[in-house]
Amino acid sequence: NAGVTQTPKFQVLKTGQSMTLQCAQDMNHEYMSWYRQDPGMGLRLIHYSVGAGITDQGEVPNGYNVSRSTTEDFPLRLLSAAPSQTSVYFCASSYNPANEKLFFGSGTQLSVL
Amino acid sequence: TQLLEQSPQFLSIQEGENLTVYCNSSSVFSSLQWYRQEPGEGPVLLVTVVTGGEVKKLKRLTFQFGDARKDSSLHITAAQPGDTGLYLCAGRLHSGAGSYQLTFGKGTKLSVIP
């Protein structure tokens, strides 16, 4: 059972470049979310989805887009990367929005130069 | 303003010592969770507490939810090097919009020295 799979593990971008962080889960979870983790800031919610075709903004959504065309996949897109987006990104999922157990991927470390 | 305040931010102790980390808020939470995160990995859920005053034990770890559901503590007895990691508390607000969203504290970084 793979759980939540994130790719890539590491990425370096130049300012202005675009890229997509991939997230897939094989647990048939309705709820999926993206967090960023910065030193001294904890985990902050970027975007989330309560089911296929439904997405919403979290605490820090600016500069990021998401879509949820299938239950399994929840990609995070950076349209024009900025140094302020240097961070570690985590995808997480749970059976439904109210379910207490959140499963995290192993993260993507992104550096924007 | 941080909704959940964790203390201490850093903690370095010798193997065998006891320790307590705290998670405090002025808001009421319907539930509160504790996660442990190791370097290069995502957080892993340790426990969820939902009732005011609730105490849960996981081997040498004891978790307590405050009576007013505004705070929680994690006590580790006889710490081991394997306990080293970042401990995060996360809560779901009792009411209001987005009440199913988890809010995370900044974490307590624990180092247990052999």
Side-chain angles (χ1 to χ4, degrees):
Chain A
N1 193 349
V4 180
T5 303
Q6 289 185 238
T7 56
K9 183 70 174 175
F10 301 95
Q11 184 70 50
V12 178
L13 293 178
K14 294 182 179 179
T15 297
Q17 286 186 318
S18 63
M19 80 157 296
T20 300
L21 280 63
Q22 301 292 341
C23 175
Q25 52 87 14
D26 61 359
M27 297 174 282
N28 201 31
H29 284 174
E30 289 184 11
Y31 180 83
M32 297 186 74
S33 55
W34 278 101
Y35 289 86
R36 60 177 289 173
Q37 186 174 37
D38 302 291
M41 297 295 293
L43 284 159
R44 292 182 292 170
L45 182 65
I46 304 171
H47 284 285
Y48 64 94
S49 169
V50 299
I54 305 169
T55 64
D56 207 345
Q57 297 181 349
E59 180 186 356
V60 287
N62 292 341
Y64 308 95
N65 279 353
V66 292
S67 60
R68 184 93 181 270
S69 56
T70 67
T71 299
E72 294 79 18
D73 300 297
F74 191 45
L76 178 71
R77 280 182 287 275
L78 282 71
L79 301 178
S80 179
S84 61
Q85 293 179 304
T86 293
S87 187
V88 182
Y89 291 85
F90 289 98
C91 179
S93 71
S94 65
Y95 182 67
N96 59 47
N99 186 259
E100 295 295 344
K101 190 172 176 81
L102 201 60
F103 292 82
F104 282 84
S106 58
T108 295
Q109 188 169 322
L110 175 68
S111 296
V112 183
L113 306 178
Chain B
T1 303
Q2 190 73 15
L3 197 59
L4 280 167
E5 297 285 348
Q6 287 191 243
S7 61
Q9 190 176 355
F10 300 97
L11 189 55
S12 181
I13 62 170
Q14 295 288 334
E15 181 176 359
E17 292 183 346
N18 301 333
L19 67 113
T20 302
V21 298
Y22 300 93
C23 178
N24 296 299
S25 177
S26 58
S27 299
V28 177
F29 290 91
S30 59
S31 64
L32 204 139
Q33 300 179 321
W34 285 91
Y35 290 81
R36 180 168 64 210
Q37 184 179 15
E38 298 187 13
E41 297 296 328
V44 176
L45 180 66
L46 296 173
V47 77
T48 301
V49 285
V50 297
T51 305
E54 183 177 3
V55 176
K56 281 191 174 179
K57 293 191 175 184
L58 184 65
K59 297 183 180 177
R60 293 176 292 100
L61 279 60
T62 301
F63 305 86
Q64 185 162 8
F65 201 11
D67 291 341
R69 289 184 291 152
K70 293 182 178 181
D71 54 84
S72 181
S73 63
L74 158 60
H75 181 79
I76 301 179
T77 303
Q80 305 292 315
D83 295 327
T84 293
L86 179 68
Y87 288 81
L88 296 160
C89 68
R92 294 182 192 272
L93 287 171
H94 180 60
S95 62
S99 60
Y100 49 77
Q101 300 305 331
L102 273 180
T103 297
F104 282 83
K106 294 182 181 180
T108 293
K109 191 170 184 179
L110 172 64
S111 296
V112 181
I113 303 165

